[in-house]
Amino acid sequence: MLNTYVNSIFLIQMNYKAALNSPIFSIISKSAKALNVDAYVIGGFVRDFILKRGTAKDIDIVAIGSGIELAKEVAKNLPNSPKVQVFKTYGTAMLRYNDIEIEFVGARRESYTEDSRNPKVESGTLTDDQNRRDFTINALALNLDNTRFGDLLDPFNGIEDLEKGVLVTPLDPDITFSDDPLRMLRAIRFASQLNFYIDKTTLAAITKNSSRIKIITNERIVTEINKILSSSKPSLGFLLLEETGLLQYILPELSALKGIDEIEGQKHKDNFYHSLEVVDNIAKHTDNVWLRWAALLHDIGKAPTKKFNKKIGWTFHAHEFEGSKMVYHLFKRLKMPLNDKMKYVQKLVLMSSRPIVLANDIVTDSAVRRLVFDAGDYVDDLMTLCEADITTKNPKKFSKYHNNFKIVREKIIEVEARDQVRNFQPPITGEDIMKLFNLKPSREIGVIKDKIKEAILEGEISNNYDEAYQLMINEGKKLGLKLNS
Ligand code: CTP
C-alpha cells in the first residue's frame, strides 16, 4: 500500500513537470523570483493536464503577493511585452501569450455577502486560496519555484477525486455554494462534461441552496448551460439540474414538461425525458450547439397547449407554433442573442413536426418540395432534428420512421437538383407581371405570383422562366387582365 502511494507520488512528480514544458512557466518562475514571491499554477490547467483534455486555452497563476505586479513583471520578460489588463477591484491581471489567456491573482481569503457575488477580499496563503476554490479537483496547484518546480500541492486529495471521478467541495459545501452559487451549476456542468458524479453531501447542498442561483447573472448561467449542452451526453447535466431543483429557476419551460397525466386510462409521454433523449440522440450527430438547443426546446410548447379530448385523447394543438414563440421569450429572459441564431432555433422548433408527417405517409415529391421551400438552408438540420426525435421503443416503428426519413433525405437531394427550391426565387417577378399587364402595384400581382409558386411546389410546372411565363398569361386572363399591347 505504502509502495503504491510512494510510486504514485513519484509518477505524479514526473508527470507534473511535463505539464510545465512551455517556456512561459520558466518565465513566470523567473519573474516571481525577481519579485521575491511564490507562484503556482492552479485550477483547470492542472486538472485538464491530468485528464489529458487537450491543450489549455487559459492558465491561472496564483501569487503569494500581488498578482498584478507579477503579471507586469512577466509581461516585461516576454519578448513582445504584451499588454497587461488589470482588474483592480478583483486584484487580478491578465495577459495573452500565444493565444492563451494567463490570469494572475494574489492568494486570497474571501468572504461573500448574502446578496451578491462580489467578495470581500483579503490577502492570504496558498492554502487559504485553495480553500476558497470550488472543487477539490480544481484546487490542485503546481509549484513554479525553481527549486521545487512542478511539485504538486494537493491538500484536499484532489488527485484521488479525479481518479474516482467525483466532484466534491474543499470546504463545507454550504459555505462553498452560498459564497458563490454559480458553483452549483459548475458542479453539474463538470459532471456532464467529465462524466463524473457529484458527492452525496455536495449534491444535497446544491438542492438546499438551489434558490440562490437567482443572484447569478443570466450570461453566466447561459455559459454553463451551453457547456452542458455541448457535452457528449447532455442529459446527465439536465437530469441533475432537475433533481437538484435548479432547472425550475433557469429553464422553467423544461421543468413544465415533466410528468405524465392520465385521464380515463389514457396517458401521454413524459415530454421532459423525451426531450432529453432527443438531445442525447442529436449530440451523436452534431456539435452545433444551436441545433442542440432546438432539440432541447422542440417540445416546450406542449406544456401550455396540452388538452384532453374524450374522443381523441391527449392533444398538443399547435405546440410547435407556441414553442417557437416561447423560444423568443426564453432567449430574451436569459439575455441570449436575439439574432439569426435565435431565429434558427425558432424555425426548427416551428417546423419540428413537418418531416414526421412525411415519415408517416408515402413520401411525395410535392411534399418534399414544400419542405425544402419552407425550411430553406435549415432543411438538413431539420432532418437531423427529426431523426433524433424518433424515440419510440417499438422496433418496427423505429425502423419504419428511419427508413422513411432516408427516403425523404434522398428525395431532398433529387428535388433540389431538379427544381432548386431551397432558396426559392420565383422565375417571374412582380415587375414582369406589371409590365405584361400594364399594372400599377396591386393585389393581382400577389395572386399571380402565388399561383406560380404553388404550381412549382406542386410540380404542375417546372421551376423555369418559360413555363412560369405561360402560367402568368393564363392566370392573368383568368383575372380578366389585358396584355400590354
Ligand atoms: N473557480 C472557483 N469558483 C468559480 C469559478 C472558478 O473556485 N465560480 C476556480 C477554480 O479553481 C477553477 C479556476 O477558478 O479551476 C479557474 O476557473 P475557470 O477558468 O472559470 O474554470 P476552469 O476550472 O478552468 O474550467 P473551464 O475552463 O472548463 O471553465
Side-chain angles (χ1 to χ4, degrees):
M1 189 66 202
L2 185 67
N3 254 348
T4 325
Y5 177 69
V6 172
N7 270 340
S8 76
I9 288 287
F10 179 69
L11 277 178
I12 282 162
Q13 302 270 5
M14 297 288 288
N15 280 342
Y16 293 142
K17 274 224 174 83
L20 308 179
N21 273 344
S22 162
I24 187 67
F25 292 110
S26 41
I27 293 171
I28 298 172
S29 178
K30 256 192 250 156
S31 310
K33 195 164 184 212
L35 296 180
N36 201 20
V37 298
D38 289 332
Y40 303 85
V41 197
I42 196 160
F45 175 86
V46 184
R47 177 200 69 221
D48 288 346
F49 172 78
I50 303 165
L51 293 175
K52 302 188 172 64
R53 287 186 78 216
T55 43
K57 280 191 266 348
D58 47 37
I59 298 174
D60 291 288
I61 303 293
V62 60
I64 315 305
S66 165
I68 297 173
E69 291 312 311
L70 178 58
K72 288 181 179 164
E73 183 68 21
V74 170
K76 250 188 1 199
N77 293 329
L78 281 170
N80 57 347
S81 304
K83 209 174 141 264
V84 177
Q85 243 182 305
V86 174
F87 308 95
K88 256 205 174 136
T89 4
Y90 296 101
T92 64
M94 196 271 282
L95 59 83
R96 265 175 217 285
Y97 169 82
N98 293 346
D99 281 346
I100 301 176
E101 280 188 6
I102 309 182
E103 180 137 19
F104 295 81
V105 61
R108 305 179 280 192
R109 296 149 58 97
E110 285 183 2
S111 56
Y112 292 71
T113 50
E114 261 292 292
D115 56 349
S116 157
R117 282 193 78 235
N118 298 333
K120 200 175 118 228
V121 185
E122 297 161 61
S123 21
T125 62
L126 176 70
T127 317
D128 288 332
D129 194 276
Q130 285 172 305
N131 262 321
R132 67 166 195 88
R133 302 260 157 189
D134 52 3
F135 306 107
T136 59
I137 63 165
N138 287 344
L140 298 161
L142 297 182
N143 205 330
L144 292 178
D145 184 280
N146 63 348
T147 58
R148 282 159 292 172
F149 199 69
D151 278 7
L152 174 75
L153 293 115
D154 177 17
F156 310 108
N157 296 323
I159 290 289
E160 213 177 293
D161 291 339
L162 269 184
E163 263 162 18
K164 283 197 245 165
V166 62
L167 288 147
V168 53
T169 54
L171 298 179
D172 173 347
D174 275 339
I175 298 172
T176 304
F177 294 140
S178 73
D179 276 357
D180 181 3
L182 180 71
R183 291 166 168 173
M184 301 188 286
L185 267 187
R186 282 172 58 91
I188 290 174
R189 178 263 282 200
F190 284 122
S192 197
Q193 272 183 329
L194 307 176
N195 198 8
F196 275 27
Y197 70 97
I198 302 177
D199 154 79
K200 218 168 122 203
T201 318
T202 301
L203 191 67
I206 298 179
T207 308
K208 185 172 151 202
N209 293 290
S210 60
S211 70
R212 296 258 302 154
I213 200 69
K214 288 190 227 162
I215 68 164
I216 300 299
T217 63
N218 288 306
E219 288 83 348
R220 283 170 180 270
I221 289 174
V222 169
T223 302
E224 298 303 322
I225 300 177
N226 279 335
K227 287 184 178 175
I228 294 173
L229 262 181
S230 302
S231 54
S232 54
K233 198 174 178 203
S235 65
L236 292 177
F238 288 103
L239 288 170
L240 284 168
L241 289 177
E242 202 280 322
E243 184 187 332
T244 53
L246 283 169
L247 193 68
Q248 60 172 317
Y249 296 110
I250 63 174
L251 288 171
E253 299 84 353
L254 268 190
S255 298
L257 292 179
K258 204 171 168 254
I260 300 173
D261 288 321
E262 180 170 357
I263 298 182
E264 296 175 1
Q266 299 206 55
K267 292 186 195 170
H268 62 74
K269 67 177 170 225
D270 186 309
N271 286 303
F272 173 66
Y273 293 114
H274 165 72
S275 300
L276 297 192
E277 244 185 293
V278 178
V279 179
D280 282 351
N281 283 345
I282 214 158
K284 292 179 200 133
H285 300 281
T286 182
D287 288 333
N288 174 355
V289 76
W290 302 107
L291 184 49
R292 292 183 179 203
W293 267 105
L296 184 70
L297 303 181
H298 80 286
D299 268 349
I300 49 172
K302 282 192 171 174
T305 57
K306 179 163 74 179
K307 285 206 171 65
F308 183 77
N309 177 305
K310 273 186 182 300
K311 280 192 199 132
I312 48 173
W314 291 100
T315 66
F316 304 90
H317 182 66
H319 75 85
E320 303 88 347
F321 180 66
E322 186 62 31
S324 74
K325 283 197 301 181
M326 289 166 75
V327 167
Y328 168 78
H329 294 293
L330 186 152
F331 270 52
K332 193 158 184 242
R333 186 188 71 238
L334 291 176
K335 302 215 165 55
M336 289 165 75
L338 299 175
N339 56 11
D340 54 325
K341 306 291 182 213
M342 190 272 300
K343 287 189 188 138
Y344 165 88
V345 177
Q346 272 195 308
K347 185 153 188 176
L348 289 179
V349 171
L350 180 67
M351 295 194 68
S352 57
S353 303
R354 281 280 297 277
I356 314 253
V357 180
L358 287 185
N360 265 324
D361 228 329
I362 297 162
V363 187
T364 65
D365 277 14
S366 66
V368 171
R369 251 192 310 270
R370 279 186 185 283
L371 180 73
V372 176
F373 174 70
D374 290 339
D377 282 337
Y378 302 158
V379 72
D380 294 326
D381 289 352
L382 179 64
M383 291 306 298
T384 306
L385 172 60
C386 291
E387 280 155 357
D389 200 6
I390 303 172
T391 59
T392 173
K393 301 293 170 282
N394 176 331
K396 265 195 187 156
K397 281 191 184 168
F398 185 88
S399 53
K400 176 185 149 189
Y401 293 153
H402 272 285
N403 280 337
N404 277 6
F405 279 153
K406 224 175 111 196
I407 299 172
V408 175
R409 279 200 189 261
E410 281 159 12
K411 278 233 152 111
I412 287 173
I413 296 168
E414 200 184 301
V415 161
E416 256 304 277
R418 199 177 53 223
D419 303 330
Q420 281 116 39
V421 285
R422 186 179 285 236
N423 290 311
F424 183 67
Q425 292 296 337
I428 294 293
T429 65
E431 260 179 36
D432 293 331
I433 302 169
M434 289 199 280
K435 222 158 116 193
L436 187 72
F437 296 109
N438 196 19
L439 286 175
K440 297 229 152 53
S442 56
R443 189 188 66 88
E444 283 84 354
I445 299 161
V447 174
I448 296 172
K449 274 181 85 174
D450 224 45
K451 290 276 183 195
I452 295 170
K453 182 190 95 186
E454 284 298 310
I456 292 171
L457 292 178
E458 278 306 307
E460 290 159 9
I461 63 168
S462 299
N463 186 12
N464 68 46
Y465 184 79
D466 289 348
E467 290 190 38
Y469 193 87
Q470 193 51 51
L471 185 65
M472 165 172 67
I473 295 174
N474 297 344
E475 289 301 323
K477 279 186 187 158
K478 278 191 212 160
L479 291 170
L481 301 177
K482 295 231 156 38
L483 292 178
N484 201 356
S485 46

mmCIF file with all atom_site columns, all heavy atoms in Angstrom, residues 127 130-131 139-141 153-158:
data_model
loop_
_atom_site.group_PDB
_atom_site.id
_atom_site.type_symbol
_atom_site.label_atom_id
_atom_site.label_alt_id
_atom_site.label_comp_id
_atom_site.label_asym_id
_atom_site.label_entity_id
_atom_site.label_seq_id
_atom_site.pdbx_PDB_ins_code
_atom_site.Cartn_x
_atom_site.Cartn_y
_atom_site.Cartn_z
_atom_site.occupancy
_atom_site.B_iso_or_equiv
_atom_site.pdbx_formal_charge
_atom_site.auth_seq_id
_atom_site.auth_comp_id
_atom_site.auth_asym_id
_atom_site.auth_atom_id
_atom_site.pdbx_PDB_model_num
ATOM 1  N N   . THR A 1 127 ? -2.831  27.965 0.939  1.00 0.00 ? 127 THR A N   1
ATOM 2  C CA  . THR A 1 127 ? -3.894  27.113 1.476  1.00 0.00 ? 127 THR A CA  1
ATOM 3  C C   . THR A 1 127 ? -5.206  27.888 1.567  1.00 0.00 ? 127 THR A C   1
ATOM 4  O O   . THR A 1 127 ? -6.265  27.351 1.242  1.00 0.00 ? 127 THR A O   1
ATOM 5  C CB  . THR A 1 127 ? -3.491  26.556 2.865  1.00 0.00 ? 127 THR A CB  1
ATOM 6  O OG1 . THR A 1 127 ? -2.137  26.160 2.777  1.00 0.00 ? 127 THR A OG1 1
ATOM 7  C CG2 . THR A 1 127 ? -4.380  25.427 3.294  1.00 0.00 ? 127 THR A CG2 1
ATOM 8  N N   . GLN A 1 130 ? -6.550  27.866 -1.875 1.00 0.00 ? 130 GLN A N   1
ATOM 9  C CA  . GLN A 1 130 ? -7.069  26.554 -2.288 1.00 0.00 ? 130 GLN A CA  1
ATOM 10 C C   . GLN A 1 130 ? -8.398  26.264 -1.597 1.00 0.00 ? 130 GLN A C   1
ATOM 11 O O   . GLN A 1 130 ? -9.305  25.704 -2.185 1.00 0.00 ? 130 GLN A O   1
ATOM 12 C CB  . GLN A 1 130 ? -6.039  25.457 -1.993 1.00 0.00 ? 130 GLN A CB  1
ATOM 13 C CG  . GLN A 1 130 ? -4.884  25.491 -2.992 1.00 0.00 ? 130 GLN A CG  1
ATOM 14 C CD  . GLN A 1 130 ? -3.771  24.545 -2.606 1.00 0.00 ? 130 GLN A CD  1
ATOM 15 O OE1 . GLN A 1 130 ? -3.254  24.613 -1.496 1.00 0.00 ? 130 GLN A OE1 1
ATOM 16 N NE2 . GLN A 1 130 ? -3.385  23.662 -3.516 1.00 0.00 ? 130 GLN A NE2 1
ATOM 17 N N   . ASN A 1 131 ? -8.501  26.697 -0.347 1.00 0.00 ? 131 ASN A N   1
ATOM 18 C CA  . ASN A 1 131 ? -9.742  26.528 0.425  1.00 0.00 ? 131 ASN A CA  1
ATOM 19 C C   . ASN A 1 131 ? -10.946 27.170 -0.240 1.00 0.00 ? 131 ASN A C   1
ATOM 20 O O   . ASN A 1 131 ? -12.052 26.694 -0.134 1.00 0.00 ? 131 ASN A O   1
ATOM 21 C CB  . ASN A 1 131 ? -9.591  27.242 1.769  1.00 0.00 ? 131 ASN A CB  1
ATOM 22 C CG  . ASN A 1 131 ? -9.221  26.276 2.850  1.00 0.00 ? 131 ASN A CG  1
ATOM 23 O OD1 . ASN A 1 131 ? -9.719  25.160 2.883  1.00 0.00 ? 131 ASN A OD1 1
ATOM 24 N ND2 . ASN A 1 131 ? -8.325  26.699 3.729  1.00 0.00 ? 131 ASN A ND2 1
ATOM 25 N N   . ALA A 1 139 ? -8.601  22.550 -7.150 1.00 0.00 ? 139 ALA A N   1
ATOM 26 C CA  . ALA A 1 139 ? -7.753  23.219 -6.163 1.00 0.00 ? 139 ALA A CA  1
ATOM 27 C C   . ALA A 1 139 ? -6.315  22.718 -6.246 1.00 0.00 ? 139 ALA A C   1
ATOM 28 O O   . ALA A 1 139 ? -5.474  23.069 -5.425 1.00 0.00 ? 139 ALA A O   1
ATOM 29 C CB  . ALA A 1 139 ? -8.315  22.984 -4.760 1.00 0.00 ? 139 ALA A CB  1
ATOM 30 N N   . LEU A 1 140 ? -6.029  21.876 -7.232 1.00 0.00 ? 140 LEU A N   1
ATOM 31 C CA  . LEU A 1 140 ? -4.672  21.347 -7.394 1.00 0.00 ? 140 LEU A CA  1
ATOM 32 C C   . LEU A 1 140 ? -3.738  22.448 -7.875 1.00 0.00 ? 140 LEU A C   1
ATOM 33 O O   . LEU A 1 140 ? -4.097  23.209 -8.769 1.00 0.00 ? 140 LEU A O   1
ATOM 34 C CB  . LEU A 1 140 ? -4.683  20.228 -8.446 1.00 0.00 ? 140 LEU A CB  1
ATOM 35 C CG  . LEU A 1 140 ? -5.525  19.005 -8.114 1.00 0.00 ? 140 LEU A CG  1
ATOM 36 C CD1 . LEU A 1 140 ? -5.828  18.202 -9.372 1.00 0.00 ? 140 LEU A CD1 1
ATOM 37 C CD2 . LEU A 1 140 ? -4.777  18.143 -7.110 1.00 0.00 ? 140 LEU A CD2 1
ATOM 38 N N   . ALA A 1 141 ? -2.548  22.522 -7.255 1.00 0.00 ? 141 ALA A N   1
ATOM 39 C CA  . ALA A 1 141 ? -1.601  23.572 -7.658 1.00 0.00 ? 141 ALA A CA  1
ATOM 40 C C   . ALA A 1 141 ? -0.228  22.963 -7.928 1.00 0.00 ? 141 ALA A C   1
ATOM 41 O O   . ALA A 1 141 ? 0.159   21.959 -7.307 1.00 0.00 ? 141 ALA A O   1
ATOM 42 C CB  . ALA A 1 141 ? -1.496  24.619 -6.554 1.00 0.00 ? 141 ALA A CB  1
ATOM 43 N N   . LEU A 1 153 ? 0.745   20.470 -5.092 1.00 0.00 ? 153 LEU A N   1
ATOM 44 C CA  . LEU A 1 153 ? 0.177   20.809 -3.778 1.00 0.00 ? 153 LEU A CA  1
ATOM 45 C C   . LEU A 1 153 ? -1.301  20.481 -3.807 1.00 0.00 ? 153 LEU A C   1
ATOM 46 O O   . LEU A 1 153 ? -2.080  21.150 -4.492 1.00 0.00 ? 153 LEU A O   1
ATOM 47 C CB  . LEU A 1 153 ? 0.422   22.287 -3.481 1.00 0.00 ? 153 LEU A CB  1
ATOM 48 C CG  . LEU A 1 153 ? 1.924   22.533 -3.297 1.00 0.00 ? 153 LEU A CG  1
ATOM 49 C CD1 . LEU A 1 153 ? 2.465   23.422 -4.369 1.00 0.00 ? 153 LEU A CD1 1
ATOM 50 C CD2 . LEU A 1 153 ? 2.211   23.050 -1.916 1.00 0.00 ? 153 LEU A CD2 1
ATOM 51 N N   . ASP A 1 154 ? -1.623  19.420 -3.090 1.00 0.00 ? 154 ASP A N   1
ATOM 52 C CA  . ASP A 1 154 ? -2.969  18.854 -3.194 1.00 0.00 ? 154 ASP A CA  1
ATOM 53 C C   . ASP A 1 154 ? -3.524  18.598 -1.785 1.00 0.00 ? 154 ASP A C   1
ATOM 54 O O   . ASP A 1 154 ? -3.621  17.451 -1.344 1.00 0.00 ? 154 ASP A O   1
ATOM 55 C CB  . ASP A 1 154 ? -2.876  17.544 -4.009 1.00 0.00 ? 154 ASP A CB  1
ATOM 56 C CG  . ASP A 1 154 ? -4.202  16.828 -4.124 1.00 0.00 ? 154 ASP A CG  1
ATOM 57 O OD1 . ASP A 1 154 ? -5.252  17.464 -3.873 1.00 0.00 ? 154 ASP A OD1 1
ATOM 58 O OD2 . ASP A 1 154 ? -4.199  15.625 -4.472 1.00 0.00 ? 154 ASP A OD2 1
ATOM 59 N N   . PRO A 1 155 ? -3.912  19.664 -1.078 1.00 0.00 ? 155 PRO A N   1
ATOM 60 C CA  . PRO A 1 155 ? -4.301  19.477 0.317  1.00 0.00 ? 155 PRO A CA  1
ATOM 61 C C   . PRO A 1 155 ? -5.627  18.736 0.506  1.00 0.00 ? 155 PRO A C   1
ATOM 62 O O   . PRO A 1 155 ? -5.933  18.275 1.590  1.00 0.00 ? 155 PRO A O   1
ATOM 63 C CB  . PRO A 1 155 ? -4.421  20.918 0.837  1.00 0.00 ? 155 PRO A CB  1
ATOM 64 C CG  . PRO A 1 155 ? -4.650  21.747 -0.367 1.00 0.00 ? 155 PRO A CG  1
ATOM 65 C CD  . PRO A 1 155 ? -3.961  21.061 -1.494 1.00 0.00 ? 155 PRO A CD  1
ATOM 66 N N   . PHE A 1 156 ? -6.439  18.632 -0.543 1.00 0.00 ? 156 PHE A N   1
ATOM 67 C CA  . PHE A 1 156 ? -7.768  18.003 -0.371 1.00 0.00 ? 156 PHE A CA  1
ATOM 68 C C   . PHE A 1 156 ? -7.907  16.683 -1.123 1.00 0.00 ? 156 PHE A C   1
ATOM 69 O O   . PHE A 1 156 ? -9.007  16.261 -1.448 1.00 0.00 ? 156 PHE A O   1
ATOM 70 C CB  . PHE A 1 156 ? -8.869  18.958 -0.848 1.00 0.00 ? 156 PHE A CB  1
ATOM 71 C CG  . PHE A 1 156 ? -8.744  20.325 -0.287 1.00 0.00 ? 156 PHE A CG  1
ATOM 72 C CD1 . PHE A 1 156 ? -8.345  21.386 -1.080 1.00 0.00 ? 156 PHE A CD1 1
ATOM 73 C CD2 . PHE A 1 156 ? -9.023  20.554 1.051  1.00 0.00 ? 156 PHE A CD2 1
ATOM 74 C CE1 . PHE A 1 156 ? -8.224  22.655 -0.558 1.00 0.00 ? 156 PHE A CE1 1
ATOM 75 C CE2 . PHE A 1 156 ? -8.899  21.821 1.587  1.00 0.00 ? 156 PHE A CE2 1
ATOM 76 C CZ  . PHE A 1 156 ? -8.493  22.876 0.780  1.00 0.00 ? 156 PHE A CZ  1
ATOM 77 N N   . ASN A 1 157 ? -6.795  16.049 -1.450 1.00 0.00 ? 157 ASN A N   1
ATOM 78 C CA  . ASN A 1 157 ? -6.833  14.797 -2.207 1.00 0.00 ? 157 ASN A CA  1
ATOM 79 C C   . ASN A 1 157 ? -7.592  14.921 -3.520 1.00 0.00 ? 157 ASN A C   1
ATOM 80 O O   . ASN A 1 157 ? -8.368  14.048 -3.895 1.00 0.00 ? 157 ASN A O   1
ATOM 81 C CB  . ASN A 1 157 ? -7.448  13.659 -1.369 1.00 0.00 ? 157 ASN A CB  1
ATOM 82 C CG  . ASN A 1 157 ? -6.596  13.365 -0.167 1.00 0.00 ? 157 ASN A CG  1
ATOM 83 O OD1 . ASN A 1 157 ? -5.363  13.429 -0.251 1.00 0.00 ? 157 ASN A OD1 1
ATOM 84 N ND2 . ASN A 1 157 ? -7.246  13.097 0.960  1.00 0.00 ? 157 ASN A ND2 1
ATOM 85 N N   . GLY A 1 158 ? -7.346  16.003 -4.195 1.00 0.00 ? 158 GLY A N   1
ATOM 86 C CA  . GLY A 1 158 ? -7.977  16.224 -5.492 1.00 0.00 ? 158 GLY A CA  1
ATOM 87 C C   . GLY A 1 158 ? -7.613  15.149 -6.507 1.00 0.00 ? 158 GLY A C   1
ATOM 88 O O   . GLY A 1 158 ? -8.437  14.754 -7.329 1.00 0.00 ? 158 GLY A O   1
#
